[in-house]
Amino acid sequence: MIVFPNAKINIGLNITERRPDGYHNLETVFYPIKINDVLEVIEADELIFDYSGLDIPGDDADNLCIKGYHLLKKDFPKLPAVKIHLHKNIPIGAGLGGGSSDAAFFIKLMNEKFGLGLSVDAMMDYARVLGADCAFFIESKPVFAFDKGDEFEAIKLDLTAYQIVLVMPDAHVSTAEAYRGVKPAPVKESLYDLIKTPIANWKRHIKNDFEGHIFRDNPIIRGVKAELYEHGALYASMSGSGASVFGIFESTPDLSAMEEYNQIFYNV
Ligand SMILES: C[C@@](CO)(OP(=O)(O)O)[C@H](O)COP(=O)(O)OP(=O)(O)OC[C@H]1O[C@@H](n2ccc(N)nc2=O)[C@H](O)[C@@H]1O
Ligand SMILES: Nc1ncnc2c1ncn2[C@@H]1O[C@H](COP(=O)(O)OP(=O)(O)O)[C@@H](O)[C@H]1O
């Protein structure tokens, strides 16, 4: 069975407080985009993971798909061994949630392939164990997210009339490091309300709290956002903890001047 895990962008990200468990409470909007990995699972005699495409840092044993397998196996001891092949296409360390998406799609695939009978809520509970933004990818529909970023309220947000362009500069940001550099603060205007206002309003009001310190340390990423506005973006922002930056445009911009130093995904 083959599935196509998709990436997400964060539209707005307010980090509101540090929690006693070391995590942070936040509010954000997750919006699914059309950049996809390819994930294939077949039954096998032993558990095997291999991958192609982009280089994934770390050991294969730590891959989130393998972690997902062990998590399910604890509750479903009769689960057969499988061979997992991942074709990695979603940029890594980009704030696009690629690893989390692979894990969530793996759980959904296993549920269907082996008839585990898990409800959407049950699959989300498994996903939450693997990463804060992992549960979002079980349904992968636009949501307002809160708490650790793993509780959701569905929202009506349809950006299909616009062109979303995603720019991946030659920079990587670790999520844990990004959180360490941020000073949590209560929100003045909730993103839940702001996201319902016209896009023309977003530039002045919807912000990503990671941008402050990450832009200071990485002028390249700051520059990409500025360039997207220079090319006419209605709204531009770093996604999640970076390093990718997206722009929402009325029509496809000519970003050829940026292509030498960045990977650019049009119409995502
Ligand atoms: C920042 C966000 C925004 O959407 O996305 P990315 O930029 O990584 O895609 C998410 O909060 C990332 O979620 P995810 O990548 O699943 O995080 P996890 O693996 O659970 O945690 C990685 C590390 O980030 C920190 N962390 C994560 C979530 C949270 N609410 N508070 C935190 O402080 C913790 O230090 C944790 O050890
Ligand atoms: N299937 C996977 N795809 C990508 N990264 C993975 C995967 N499994 C584990 N990882 C680890 O997770 C880290 C963060 O990956 P990713 O989810 O792409 O970034 P981000 O947190 O920016 O969305 C990587 O550096 C890698 O070590």
Side-chain angles (χ1 to χ4, degrees), residues 53-72:
L54 299 176
D55 237 353
I56 306 176
D59 289 342
D60 287 357
D62 292 329
N63 197 279
L64 284 161
C65 297
I66 292 287
K67 289 190 173 166
Y69 180 84
H70 291 306
L71 189 66
L72 291 175

Side-chain angles (χ1 to χ4, degrees), residues 9-249:
I9 51 174
N10 296 80
I11 306 178
L13 207 166
N14 299 321
I15 298 163
T16 54
E17 58 184 345
R18 201 175 141 79
R19 301 158 51 111
D21 61 7
Y23 274 73
H24 294 78
N25 284 331
L26 56 89
E27 52 166 55
T28 188
V29 166
F30 287 126
Y31 191 81
I33 58 167
K34 299 186 296 268
I35 301 177
N36 298 77
D37 288 339
V38 184
L39 178 64
E40 182 184 41
V41 174
I42 53 175
E43 214 171 313
D45 294 333
E46 55 176 330
L47 179 61
I48 299 171
F49 174 84
D50 67 15
Y51 73 95
S52 51
L54 299 176
D55 237 353
I56 306 176
D59 289 342
D60 287 357
D62 292 329
N63 197 279
L64 284 161
C65 297
I66 292 287
K67 289 190 173 166
Y69 180 84
H70 291 306
L71 189 66
L72 291 175
K73 181 82 176 168
K74 266 200 282 176
D75 289 346
F76 297 92
K78 289 195 183 129
L79 204 59
V82 291
K83 178 173 190 282
I84 303 168
H85 184 86
L86 175 66
H87 183 73
K88 193 73 207 171
N89 184 46
I90 301 172
I92 294 168
L96 299 173
S100 296
S101 185
D102 294 338
F105 275 74
F106 177 78
I107 291 169
K108 286 194 285 185
L109 183 157
M110 294 296 282
N111 184 47
E112 194 179 330
K113 187 173 172 66
F114 296 108
L116 304 183
L118 295 170
S119 65
V120 165
D121 282 349
M123 288 191 281
M124 282 188 173
D125 284 341
Y126 281 112
R128 278 186 188 93
V129 178
L130 298 172
D133 62 12
C134 194
F136 159 74
F137 292 101
I138 294 292
E139 292 200 296
S140 231
K141 290 183 189 152
V143 291
F144 171 77
F146 54 99
D147 279 3
K148 278 164 72 177
D150 61 351
E151 295 294 336
F152 313 114
E153 186 167 335
I155 54 169
K156 281 203 188 90
L157 179 64
D158 181 1
L159 298 174
T160 50
Y162 300 95
Q163 293 289 327
I164 305 179
V165 178
L166 194 281
V167 181
M168 184 62 196
D170 188 14
H172 293 268
V173 180
S174 122
T175 302
E177 234 172 80
Y179 273 104
R180 273 196 293 276
V182 95
K183 252 210 193 120
V187 285
K188 292 192 190 89
E189 293 175 281
S190 174
L191 189 56
Y192 186 75
D193 299 319
L194 287 171
I195 200 73
K196 295 174 193 155
T197 64
I199 294 187
N201 188 48
W202 293 3
K203 183 176 178 181
R204 271 179 300 128
H205 295 280
I206 296 186
K207 61 190 177 49
N208 175 338
D209 282 345
F210 286 123
E211 284 186 351
H213 78 93
I214 290 177
F215 281 5
R216 264 196 304 281
D217 295 344
N218 298 274
I220 289 178
I221 308 176
R222 184 181 60 220
V224 167
K225 176 171 165 175
E227 276 188 88
L228 291 180
Y229 274 127
E230 279 161 26
H231 283 89
L234 301 171
Y235 182 72
S237 173
M238 191 171 76
S239 182
S241 56
S244 74
V245 178
F246 66 89
I248 303 175
F249 293 84

